[in-house]
Amino acid sequence: MAENQKEDIEKVIEELQEQVKESPENVIAHHHLGLVYMKVGKMEEAAKSLERALEIDPLSVESLINLGAIYFGKGDISKAEELNEKALKILPEAAQAHANLGLIRQQQDQIEKAIESYEKAAKYNPNLASVWMNLTSVLTMKGEDERALKAAKKAVELEPDSPLAHNNLAVALYFGEDFKKAKQHMEKAELLGYSVDPNFKASLDQKLG
């Protein structure tokens, strides 16, 4: 992190700490403080701030979702699932909560449920590139090549500089037997810094002769 940026974030933290000290019931300040702590990797402090926000306002969907992300990162899948499901009971169209549940279902090897969650996330917010990338992965795992290709193309359209999106598209094109385009996107992924699977690369080269 650049020194100036670090100083700016520390200043923001100090200002938010002062706000919550002066107004202990200011749910927005607690929530924003939690987000800033997350940004700098202070997850314990972030969790405390978000939990305080939820004590004040148990219906704070964003606080539930972000706290769920912290628990997911800690490996507490059960708690992460509980928090995201609670968010969806309050706001069924919360795209990020559906996306997070997709990741949870995927980790639990519940592929059909993961696909369902990602598709709901995409329905409520079609501009989340990460959702399309994750959807590509699970559809590829399931062997639904045509749907995977559509999702992969959408991810690249939304985030053209994402190495993962290009790699996913390369894989989807490979299974769609468009080997020439697959190589183009594989090379683009490498150019952007992605470490392409050597076995995939070798197989693609073999297909191209």
Side-chain angles (χ1 to χ4, degrees):
M1 188 183 295
E3 193 63 34
N4 287 345
Q5 188 181 4
K6 186 178 178 181
E7 288 176 6
D8 289 344
I9 289 176
E10 285 175 354
K11 186 178 178 182
V12 170
I13 289 173
E14 286 175 10
E15 288 173 354
L16 287 167
Q17 286 174 334
E18 191 63 31
Q19 279 187 44
V20 299
K21 186 177 178 182
E22 291 177 0
S23 305
E25 300 302 306
N26 186 337
V27 64
I28 295 172
H30 284 289
H31 176 75
H32 285 166
L33 182 57
L35 294 185
V36 178
Y37 277 138
M38 285 179 76
K39 187 172 183 179
V40 296
K42 295 184 176 182
M43 295 305 174
E44 291 301 321
E45 291 91 335
K48 286 177 184 175
S49 292
L50 293 170
E51 283 164 355
R52 179 61 186 136
L54 287 165
E55 284 175 9
I56 302 164
D57 180 11
L59 302 181
S60 174
V61 171
E62 289 298 320
S63 293
L64 286 164
I65 291 171
N66 284 292
L67 187 58
I70 291 172
Y71 277 102
F72 183 84
K74 287 164 61 175
D76 192 340
I77 304 303
S78 176
K79 185 66 175 177
E81 184 176 20
E82 176 194 326
L83 289 162
N84 281 286
E85 285 181 342
K86 193 177 286 187
L88 288 173
K89 283 180 182 175
I90 299 165
L91 187 66
E93 62 270 28
Q96 192 59 57
H98 284 294
N100 292 347
L101 280 176
L103 280 173
I104 290 166
R105 305 299 186 220
Q106 192 172 343
Q107 188 151 325
Q108 294 168 333
D109 289 324
Q110 298 181 37
I111 302 304
E112 285 293 346
K113 286 187 176 180
I115 291 170
E116 184 182 335
S117 291
Y118 290 139
E119 287 181 334
K120 283 182 180 177
K123 174 186 173 184
Y124 292 121
N125 186 351
N127 296 318
L128 289 173
S130 60
V131 169
W132 293 104
M133 290 182 217
N134 291 329
L135 184 56
T136 302
S137 298
V138 289
L139 288 170
T140 300
M141 287 167 61
K142 193 167 179 278
E144 296 205 25
D145 301 335
E146 192 174 332
R147 290 171 69 196
L149 182 57
K150 286 180 181 177
K153 286 179 177 177
K154 183 67 176 177
V156 169
E157 177 190 322
L158 288 169
E159 214 165 288
D161 292 327
S162 166
L164 177 59
H166 282 282
N167 183 74
N168 285 354
L169 181 52
V171 173
L173 286 162
Y174 175 92
F175 285 114
E177 300 189 356
D178 191 341
F179 304 120
K180 187 177 179 181
K181 281 188 179 178
K183 184 164 186 177
Q184 289 172 358
H185 286 281
M186 181 198 73
E187 289 173 344
K188 179 69 172 177
E190 285 188 310
L191 189 66
L192 290 166
Y194 191 86
S195 181
V196 174
D197 183 343
N199 294 326
F200 173 61
K201 190 186 293 190
S203 180
L204 186 53
D205 285 342
Q206 187 178 26
K207 292 290 185 183
L208 288 165

